[in-house]
Amino acid sequence: MPSEFFNTSEVLEAILETIDEGIHVIDPKGQTIFYNGVAANLDGMKRSEVLGKPLLEAFPSLNHKSSTLLRVIKSEKPIYNYSQSYVNAHGRIIETLNTTLPIYVDGFMIGAIEIAKDYSSLKQLSERLADLESSLKTIKSPQSKTTGNGGLYSFTEILTSDKGFKGLISQGKKAARSTSSVLVYGESGVGKELFVQSIHQESSRSKEPFIAQNCAALPESLLESLLFGTAKGSYTGAVERQGLFELANGGTLFLDELQSMPIDLQAKLLRVLEDGFIRRIGGTKSVQVNVRIMAAMNIDPKKAVSENRLRPDLFYRLNVLSYELPPLRERIDDIELLSEHFISIFNSKLGLSIKGMDEKTKGFFRKYHWPGNVRELKHTIEFMMNHTENDVMNLEDLPQFLKKRNPSEKILPLREAMIEMETKLITEALLQTNGNVFQASKLLQIPRQTLQYKIKKHI
């Protein structure tokens, strides 16, 4: 169909209907002017009950203070990742996670738009996780008080021939004799969790729980309730629930990507480090916990402090025992050592008998930058072993985006080179985020839907 037949507003409306998040738009008077199907499903309403009507008429349980849309209309300031609980016109409790923004045209505010996610399902998922952690803690084995503890890594499983890394392992073993908090930082994929697990396993807490939580995986309110637990009645439908601090009592709580934890929540973490007491969300009683905190970051902590992503006082509190793990490209001799180790693992797992790699491939591996570090190396070996038809792997068995980096190949046309680079960056972002498309889109600074389209197109 020729482009002149398209109506701009119709195209925009069609785009907003395809987005898999709730979209609700009101004008300055508080009347709904757009409301997509996802928003209707989240709110438990029919679109006809909301479109063209004043917001407070469609949602009588809200008011000018509790409605994020009306607050933005009044303040003209955005609200990010705000959890909202309300009752719809049919008496159903609705919980959403909203980002609400003012809309400007030619410098004038013409309304507000709200992008909503289903907060109740996220909350239920986190609560199921906490319940699972709690049930695991009650199952005792000769090795530990959690079923997963026996599967943790130890220092004997960290393979390296690098002198500097061996020195870090020696320091880590000394840290295991301490009760101080630990901060480990380095690029994604270098083995930070493996390192802190090893400290835990070497310590006197080895038979107690080791619980890990990624701070970038959940919005602030959900992360806070997961960490500290909830008191009955603290929000609609809330029950008495232990948080990860209580579940990890006697053991270790590992907080990954600490720089992603909101600053206000970092202050509460600091208080726990200082006095050892936590209070459940909505509760009045303080509970003492004996938990060793270990944290990891994929950027330099000093940079995180300078960018206001990490509180200085929290950094100084954690910096007593801090370790920077080197990237794989600085441990050249470990590349072949780890490659042989992964080949052995996948031979057993896949029922193969691959003998190794030829010299050209080994040379390529030593020259390659490995931005995804050990994780990327492991995934590359797994890919090659799934695709090779030889006993000895060669350059032809490399993933496509790596194969084209072979310096012996001719220069690519610009369009192909751009596609190759785009594919490489997407692959590396997915590797660094363990396949999490949302987190990868944040790394690449593109919309999640755009990334999903490019994955389908190129990978």
PDB file of all heavy atoms in Angstrom, residues 395-423:
ATOM      1  N   LEU A 395      39.384 -23.255  12.602  1.00  0.00           N
ATOM      2  CA  LEU A 395      38.755 -21.942  12.480  1.00  0.00           C
ATOM      3  C   LEU A 395      37.371 -21.994  11.841  1.00  0.00           C
ATOM      4  O   LEU A 395      36.524 -21.136  12.106  1.00  0.00           O
ATOM      5  CB  LEU A 395      39.655 -21.001  11.673  1.00  0.00           C
ATOM      6  CG  LEU A 395      40.985 -20.599  12.340  1.00  0.00           C
ATOM      7  CD1 LEU A 395      41.862 -19.829  11.359  1.00  0.00           C
ATOM      8  CD2 LEU A 395      40.727 -19.758  13.590  1.00  0.00           C
ATOM      9  N   GLU A 396      37.125 -23.002  11.017  1.00  0.00           N
ATOM     10  CA  GLU A 396      35.815 -23.120  10.378  1.00  0.00           C
ATOM     11  C   GLU A 396      34.710 -23.452  11.373  1.00  0.00           C
ATOM     12  O   GLU A 396      33.529 -23.266  11.087  1.00  0.00           O
ATOM     13  CB  GLU A 396      35.858 -24.195   9.281  1.00  0.00           C
ATOM     14  CG  GLU A 396      36.632 -23.773   8.041  1.00  0.00           C
ATOM     15  CD  GLU A 396      36.053 -22.512   7.415  1.00  0.00           C
ATOM     16  OE1 GLU A 396      34.818 -22.452   7.210  1.00  0.00           O
ATOM     17  OE2 GLU A 396      36.826 -21.573   7.149  1.00  0.00           O
ATOM     18  N   ASP A 397      35.084 -23.936  12.545  1.00  0.00           N
ATOM     19  CA  ASP A 397      34.098 -24.310  13.549  1.00  0.00           C
ATOM     20  C   ASP A 397      33.694 -23.138  14.449  1.00  0.00           C
ATOM     21  O   ASP A 397      32.796 -23.275  15.290  1.00  0.00           O
ATOM     22  CB  ASP A 397      34.648 -25.441  14.432  1.00  0.00           C
ATOM     23  CG  ASP A 397      34.967 -26.696  13.634  1.00  0.00           C
ATOM     24  OD1 ASP A 397      34.134 -27.070  12.797  1.00  0.00           O
ATOM     25  OD2 ASP A 397      36.055 -27.273  13.840  1.00  0.00           O
ATOM     26  N   LEU A 398      34.362 -21.984  14.285  1.00  0.00           N
ATOM     27  CA  LEU A 398      34.057 -20.816  15.116  1.00  0.00           C
ATOM     28  C   LEU A 398      32.650 -20.295  14.850  1.00  0.00           C
ATOM     29  O   LEU A 398      32.120 -20.448  13.744  1.00  0.00           O
ATOM     30  CB  LEU A 398      35.052 -19.689  14.831  1.00  0.00           C
ATOM     31  CG  LEU A 398      36.485 -19.858  15.301  1.00  0.00           C
ATOM     32  CD1 LEU A 398      37.363 -18.760  14.698  1.00  0.00           C
ATOM     33  CD2 LEU A 398      36.553 -19.799  16.828  1.00  0.00           C
ATOM     34  N   PRO A 399      32.013 -19.667  15.828  1.00  0.00           N
ATOM     35  CA  PRO A 399      30.748 -18.957  15.567  1.00  0.00           C
ATOM     36  C   PRO A 399      30.965 -17.914  14.469  1.00  0.00           C
ATOM     37  O   PRO A 399      32.069 -17.384  14.312  1.00  0.00           O
ATOM     38  CB  PRO A 399      30.442 -18.279  16.908  1.00  0.00           C
ATOM     39  CG  PRO A 399      31.193 -19.058  17.925  1.00  0.00           C
ATOM     40  CD  PRO A 399      32.425 -19.559  17.241  1.00  0.00           C
ATOM     41  N   GLN A 400      29.919 -17.601  13.733  1.00  0.00           N
ATOM     42  CA  GLN A 400      30.052 -16.750  12.565  1.00  0.00           C
ATOM     43  C   GLN A 400      30.690 -15.401  12.880  1.00  0.00           C
ATOM     44  O   GLN A 400      31.565 -14.929  12.154  1.00  0.00           O
ATOM     45  CB  GLN A 400      28.683 -16.538  11.909  1.00  0.00           C
ATOM     46  CG  GLN A 400      28.721 -15.909  10.530  1.00  0.00           C
ATOM     47  CD  GLN A 400      29.409 -16.797   9.508  1.00  0.00           C
ATOM     48  OE1 GLN A 400      29.457 -18.012   9.666  1.00  0.00           O
ATOM     49  NE2 GLN A 400      29.962 -16.192   8.471  1.00  0.00           N
ATOM     50  N   PHE A 401      30.265 -14.771  13.995  1.00  0.00           N
ATOM     51  CA  PHE A 401      30.794 -13.430  14.279  1.00  0.00           C
ATOM     52  C   PHE A 401      32.272 -13.479  14.657  1.00  0.00           C
ATOM     53  O   PHE A 401      33.005 -12.514  14.456  1.00  0.00           O
ATOM     54  CB  PHE A 401      29.968 -12.752  15.387  1.00  0.00           C
ATOM     55  CG  PHE A 401      30.293 -13.191  16.782  1.00  0.00           C
ATOM     56  CD1 PHE A 401      31.208 -12.503  17.558  1.00  0.00           C
ATOM     57  CD2 PHE A 401      29.661 -14.304  17.321  1.00  0.00           C
ATOM     58  CE1 PHE A 401      31.492 -12.905  18.848  1.00  0.00           C
ATOM     59  CE2 PHE A 401      29.941 -14.707  18.611  1.00  0.00           C
ATOM     60  CZ  PHE A 401      30.855 -14.013  19.372  1.00  0.00           C
ATOM     61  N   LEU A 402      32.748 -14.617  15.169  1.00  0.00           N
ATOM     62  CA  LEU A 402      34.171 -14.757  15.469  1.00  0.00           C
ATOM     63  C   LEU A 402      34.957 -15.162  14.236  1.00  0.00           C
ATOM     64  O   LEU A 402      36.088 -14.725  14.039  1.00  0.00           O
ATOM     65  CB  LEU A 402      34.382 -15.810  16.566  1.00  0.00           C
ATOM     66  CG  LEU A 402      34.203 -15.375  18.009  1.00  0.00           C
ATOM     67  CD1 LEU A 402      34.473 -16.546  18.947  1.00  0.00           C
ATOM     68  CD2 LEU A 402      35.144 -14.242  18.351  1.00  0.00           C
ATOM     69  N   LYS A 403      34.350 -15.994  13.418  1.00  0.00           N
ATOM     70  CA  LYS A 403      35.017 -16.472  12.209  1.00  0.00           C
ATOM     71  C   LYS A 403      35.432 -15.308  11.316  1.00  0.00           C
ATOM     72  O   LYS A 403      36.511 -15.303  10.720  1.00  0.00           O
ATOM     73  CB  LYS A 403      34.080 -17.403  11.437  1.00  0.00           C
ATOM     74  CG  LYS A 403      34.745 -18.152  10.284  1.00  0.00           C
ATOM     75  CD  LYS A 403      33.715 -18.964   9.507  1.00  0.00           C
ATOM     76  CE  LYS A 403      33.099 -20.039  10.372  1.00  0.00           C
ATOM     77  NZ  LYS A 403      32.157 -20.877   9.596  1.00  0.00           N
ATOM     78  N   LYS A 404      34.600 -14.268  11.260  1.00  0.00           N
ATOM     79  CA  LYS A 404      34.883 -13.136  10.390  1.00  0.00           C
ATOM     80  C   LYS A 404      35.949 -12.209  10.966  1.00  0.00           C
ATOM     81  O   LYS A 404      36.382 -11.268  10.309  1.00  0.00           O
ATOM     82  CB  LYS A 404      33.591 -12.361  10.122  1.00  0.00           C
ATOM     83  CG  LYS A 404      32.618 -13.149   9.248  1.00  0.00           C
ATOM     84  CD  LYS A 404      31.352 -12.364   8.951  1.00  0.00           C
ATOM     85  CE  LYS A 404      30.419 -13.147   8.061  1.00  0.00           C
ATOM     86  NZ  LYS A 404      29.179 -12.404   7.738  1.00  0.00           N
ATOM     87  N   ARG A 405      36.385 -12.487  12.199  1.00  0.00           N
ATOM     88  CA  ARG A 405      37.464 -11.694  12.778  1.00  0.00           C
ATOM     89  C   ARG A 405      38.833 -12.268  12.442  1.00  0.00           C
ATOM     90  O   ARG A 405      39.856 -11.718  12.817  1.00  0.00           O
ATOM     91  CB  ARG A 405      37.310 -11.627  14.299  1.00  0.00           C
ATOM     92  CG  ARG A 405      36.104 -10.856  14.750  1.00  0.00           C
ATOM     93  CD  ARG A 405      36.041 -10.780  16.257  1.00  0.00           C
ATOM     94  NE  ARG A 405      37.163 -10.015  16.790  1.00  0.00           N
ATOM     95  CZ  ARG A 405      37.160  -8.713  16.991  1.00  0.00           C
ATOM     96  NH1 ARG A 405      36.090  -8.009  16.685  1.00  0.00           N
ATOM     97  NH2 ARG A 405      38.200  -8.095  17.483  1.00  0.00           N
ATOM     98  N   ASN A 406      38.833 -13.403  11.738  1.00  0.00           N
ATOM     99  CA  ASN A 406      40.099 -14.021  11.349  1.00  0.00           C
ATOM    100  C   ASN A 406      40.891 -13.045  10.488  1.00  0.00           C
ATOM    101  O   ASN A 406      40.435 -12.649   9.418  1.00  0.00           O
ATOM    102  CB  ASN A 406      39.814 -15.316  10.564  1.00  0.00           C
ATOM    103  CG  ASN A 406      41.078 -16.072  10.216  1.00  0.00           C
ATOM    104  OD1 ASN A 406      42.183 -15.622  10.519  1.00  0.00           O
ATOM    105  ND2 ASN A 406      40.914 -17.212   9.578  1.00  0.00           N
ATOM    106  N   PRO A 407      42.090 -12.605  10.889  1.00  0.00           N
ATOM    107  CA  PRO A 407      42.843 -11.588  10.162  1.00  0.00           C
ATOM    108  C   PRO A 407      43.240 -12.000   8.753  1.00  0.00           C
ATOM    109  O   PRO A 407      43.567 -11.168   7.925  1.00  0.00           O
ATOM    110  CB  PRO A 407      44.098 -11.372  11.040  1.00  0.00           C
ATOM    111  CG  PRO A 407      44.191 -12.583  11.889  1.00  0.00           C
ATOM    112  CD  PRO A 407      42.800 -13.061  12.105  1.00  0.00           C
ATOM    113  N   SER A 408      43.187 -13.308   8.463  1.00  0.00           N
ATOM    114  CA  SER A 408      43.588 -13.759   7.124  1.00  0.00           C
ATOM    115  C   SER A 408      42.492 -13.536   6.093  1.00  0.00           C
ATOM    116  O   SER A 408      42.718 -13.644   4.889  1.00  0.00           O
ATOM    117  CB  SER A 408      43.942 -15.256   7.167  1.00  0.00           C
ATOM    118  OG  SER A 408      42.802 -16.026   7.504  1.00  0.00           O
ATOM    119  N   GLU A 409      41.288 -13.230   6.543  1.00  0.00           N
ATOM    120  CA  GLU A 409      40.186 -13.035   5.618  1.00  0.00           C
ATOM    121  C   GLU A 409      40.215 -11.632   5.009  1.00  0.00           C
ATOM    122  O   GLU A 409      40.729 -10.697   5.604  1.00  0.00           O
ATOM    123  CB  GLU A 409      38.849 -13.266   6.322  1.00  0.00           C
ATOM    124  CG  GLU A 409      38.645 -14.722   6.725  1.00  0.00           C
ATOM    125  CD  GLU A 409      37.216 -15.007   7.131  1.00  0.00           C
ATOM    126  OE1 GLU A 409      36.382 -14.077   7.033  1.00  0.00           O
ATOM    127  OE2 GLU A 409      36.939 -16.145   7.516  1.00  0.00           O
ATOM    128  N   LYS A 410      39.604 -11.502   3.844  1.00  0.00           N
ATOM    129  CA  LYS A 410      39.590 -10.217   3.139  1.00  0.00           C
ATOM    130  C   LYS A 410      38.682  -9.223   3.847  1.00  0.00           C
ATOM    131  O   LYS A 410      37.843  -9.589   4.665  1.00  0.00           O
ATOM    132  CB  LYS A 410      39.110 -10.421   1.705  1.00  0.00           C
ATOM    133  CG  LYS A 410      37.674 -10.926   1.613  1.00  0.00           C
ATOM    134  CD  LYS A 410      37.262 -11.125   0.162  1.00  0.00           C
ATOM    135  CE  LYS A 410      35.802 -11.600   0.073  1.00  0.00           C
ATOM    136  NZ  LYS A 410      35.386 -11.797  -1.319  1.00  0.00           N
ATOM    137  N   ILE A 411      38.856  -7.923   3.514  1.00  0.00           N
ATOM    138  CA  ILE A 411      38.032  -6.874   4.101  1.00  0.00           C
ATOM    139  C   ILE A 411      36.597  -7.029   3.613  1.00  0.00           C
ATOM    140  O   ILE A 411      36.336  -7.222   2.421  1.00  0.00           O
ATOM    141  CB  ILE A 411      38.581  -5.483   3.722  1.00  0.00           C
ATOM    142  CG1 ILE A 411      39.967  -5.289   4.344  1.00  0.00           C
ATOM    143  CG2 ILE A 411      37.628  -4.390   4.162  1.00  0.00           C
ATOM    144  CD1 ILE A 411      40.629  -3.999   3.959  1.00  0.00           C
ATOM    145  N   LEU A 412      35.659  -6.928   4.537  1.00  0.00           N
ATOM    146  CA  LEU A 412      34.247  -7.071   4.209  1.00  0.00           C
ATOM    147  C   LEU A 412      33.683  -5.784   3.624  1.00  0.00           C
ATOM    148  O   LEU A 412      34.162  -4.693   3.953  1.00  0.00           O
ATOM    149  CB  LEU A 412      33.449  -7.422   5.463  1.00  0.00           C
ATOM    150  CG  LEU A 412      33.671  -8.797   6.095  1.00  0.00           C
ATOM    151  CD1 LEU A 412      32.908  -8.859   7.412  1.00  0.00           C
ATOM    152  CD2 LEU A 412      33.202  -9.901   5.181  1.00  0.00           C
ATOM    153  N   PRO A 413      32.660  -5.884   2.776  1.00  0.00           N
ATOM    154  CA  PRO A 413      31.926  -4.689   2.370  1.00  0.00           C
ATOM    155  C   PRO A 413      31.361  -4.005   3.604  1.00  0.00           C
ATOM    156  O   PRO A 413      31.050  -4.670   4.607  1.00  0.00           O
ATOM    157  CB  PRO A 413      30.812  -5.247   1.468  1.00  0.00           C
ATOM    158  CG  PRO A 413      31.322  -6.571   0.998  1.00  0.00           C
ATOM    159  CD  PRO A 413      32.163  -7.103   2.109  1.00  0.00           C
ATOM    160  N   LEU A 414      31.194  -2.686   3.540  1.00  0.00           N
ATOM    161  CA  LEU A 414      30.800  -1.913   4.713  1.00  0.00           C
ATOM    162  C   LEU A 414      29.490  -2.416   5.304  1.00  0.00           C
ATOM    163  O   LEU A 414      29.361  -2.549   6.525  1.00  0.00           O
ATOM    164  CB  LEU A 414      30.665  -0.432   4.340  1.00  0.00           C
ATOM    165  CG  LEU A 414      30.285   0.509   5.495  1.00  0.00           C
ATOM    166  CD1 LEU A 414      31.313   0.436   6.608  1.00  0.00           C
ATOM    167  CD2 LEU A 414      30.157   1.940   4.978  1.00  0.00           C
ATOM    168  N   ARG A 415      28.501  -2.719   4.453  1.00  0.00           N
ATOM    169  CA  ARG A 415      27.196  -3.166   4.968  1.00  0.00           C
ATOM    170  C   ARG A 415      27.342  -4.477   5.742  1.00  0.00           C
ATOM    171  O   ARG A 415      26.782  -4.634   6.832  1.00  0.00           O
ATOM    172  CB  ARG A 415      26.204  -3.338   3.812  1.00  0.00           C
ATOM    173  CG  ARG A 415      24.820  -3.772   4.273  1.00  0.00           C
ATOM    174  CD  ARG A 415      23.851  -3.843   3.096  1.00  0.00           C
ATOM    175  NE  ARG A 415      22.546  -4.323   3.506  1.00  0.00           N
ATOM    176  CZ  ARG A 415      21.618  -3.592   4.096  1.00  0.00           C
ATOM    177  NH1 ARG A 415      21.853  -2.312   4.318  1.00  0.00           N
ATOM    178  NH2 ARG A 415      20.463  -4.112   4.438  1.00  0.00           N
ATOM    179  N   GLU A 416      28.122  -5.408   5.181  1.00  0.00           N
ATOM    180  CA  GLU A 416      28.332  -6.693   5.867  1.00  0.00           C
ATOM    181  C   GLU A 416      29.098  -6.492   7.160  1.00  0.00           C
ATOM    182  O   GLU A 416      28.820  -7.144   8.172  1.00  0.00           O
ATOM    183  CB  GLU A 416      29.093  -7.656   4.954  1.00  0.00           C
ATOM    184  CG  GLU A 416      28.280  -8.199   3.791  1.00  0.00           C
ATOM    185  CD  GLU A 416      29.064  -9.234   2.992  1.00  0.00           C
ATOM    186  OE1 GLU A 416      29.852  -9.976   3.604  1.00  0.00           O
ATOM    187  OE2 GLU A 416      28.892  -9.281   1.767  1.00  0.00           O
ATOM    188  N   ALA A 417      30.079  -5.585   7.116  1.00  0.00           N
ATOM    189  CA  ALA A 417      30.872  -5.324   8.318  1.00  0.00           C
ATOM    190  C   ALA A 417      30.009  -4.731   9.431  1.00  0.00           C
ATOM    191  O   ALA A 417      30.172  -5.074  10.608  1.00  0.00           O
ATOM    192  CB  ALA A 417      32.027  -4.379   7.983  1.00  0.00           C
ATOM    193  N   MET A 418      29.066  -3.847   9.055  1.00  0.00           N
ATOM    194  CA  MET A 418      28.181  -3.241  10.053  1.00  0.00           C
ATOM    195  C   MET A 418      27.248  -4.277  10.667  1.00  0.00           C
ATOM    196  O   MET A 418      27.013  -4.282  11.872  1.00  0.00           O
ATOM    197  CB  MET A 418      27.382  -2.103   9.408  1.00  0.00           C
ATOM    198  CG  MET A 418      28.226  -0.884   9.042  1.00  0.00           C
ATOM    199  SD  MET A 418      27.304   0.374   8.145  1.00  0.00           S
ATOM    200  CE  MET A 418      26.185   0.935   9.430  1.00  0.00           C
ATOM    201  N   ILE A 419      26.744  -5.185   9.807  1.00  0.00           N
ATOM    202  CA  ILE A 419      25.883  -6.260  10.316  1.00  0.00           C
ATOM    203  C   ILE A 419      26.669  -7.172  11.236  1.00  0.00           C
ATOM    204  O   ILE A 419      26.193  -7.585  12.292  1.00  0.00           O
ATOM    205  CB  ILE A 419      25.273  -7.064   9.138  1.00  0.00           C
ATOM    206  CG1 ILE A 419      24.291  -6.194   8.352  1.00  0.00           C
ATOM    207  CG2 ILE A 419      24.593  -8.336   9.651  1.00  0.00           C
ATOM    208  CD1 ILE A 419      23.766  -6.839   7.091  1.00  0.00           C
ATOM    209  N   GLU A 420      27.919  -7.458  10.832  1.00  0.00           N
ATOM    210  CA  GLU A 420      28.784  -8.308  11.660  1.00  0.00           C
ATOM    211  C   GLU A 420      29.038  -7.671  13.024  1.00  0.00           C
ATOM    212  O   GLU A 420      28.952  -8.333  14.069  1.00  0.00           O
ATOM    213  CB  GLU A 420      30.115  -8.556  10.951  1.00  0.00           C
ATOM    214  CG  GLU A 420      31.103  -9.377  11.783  1.00  0.00           C
ATOM    215  CD  GLU A 420      32.516  -9.282  11.247  1.00  0.00           C
ATOM    216  OE1 GLU A 420      32.677  -9.081  10.035  1.00  0.00           O
ATOM    217  OE2 GLU A 420      33.457  -9.389  12.057  1.00  0.00           O
ATOM    218  N   MET A 421      29.357  -6.377  13.011  1.00  0.00           N
ATOM    219  CA  MET A 421      29.630  -5.691  14.272  1.00  0.00           C
ATOM    220  C   MET A 421      28.381  -5.647  15.151  1.00  0.00           C
ATOM    221  O   MET A 421      28.456  -5.857  16.372  1.00  0.00           O
ATOM    222  CB  MET A 421      30.119  -4.267  13.983  1.00  0.00           C
ATOM    223  CG  MET A 421      30.382  -3.445  15.243  1.00  0.00           C
ATOM    224  SD  MET A 421      31.573  -4.213  16.375  1.00  0.00           S
ATOM    225  CE  MET A 421      33.072  -4.028  15.410  1.00  0.00           C
ATOM    226  N   GLU A 422      27.223  -5.390  14.539  1.00  0.00           N
ATOM    227  CA  GLU A 422      25.975  -5.366  15.282  1.00  0.00           C
ATOM    228  C   GLU A 422      25.693  -6.725  15.912  1.00  0.00           C
ATOM    229  O   GLU A 422      25.331  -6.824  17.096  1.00  0.00           O
ATOM    230  CB  GLU A 422      24.826  -4.977  14.354  1.00  0.00           C
ATOM    231  CG  GLU A 422      23.498  -4.788  15.064  1.00  0.00           C
ATOM    232  CD  GLU A 422      22.415  -4.260  14.140  1.00  0.00           C
ATOM    233  OE1 GLU A 422      21.853  -5.072  13.373  1.00  0.00           O
ATOM    234  OE2 GLU A 422      22.135  -3.052  14.166  1.00  0.00           O
ATOM    235  N   THR A 423      25.888  -7.791  15.133  1.00  0.00           N
ATOM    236  CA  THR A 423      25.680  -9.147  15.638  1.00  0.00           C
ATOM    237  C   THR A 423      26.639  -9.460  16.768  1.00  0.00           C
ATOM    238  O   THR A 423      26.253 -10.060  17.787  1.00  0.00           O
ATOM    239  CB  THR A 423      25.873 -10.174  14.491  1.00  0.00           C
ATOM    240  OG1 THR A 423      24.992  -9.844  13.419  1.00  0.00           O
ATOM    241  CG2 THR A 423      25.584 -11.586  14.980  1.00  0.00           C
TER     242      THR A 423
END
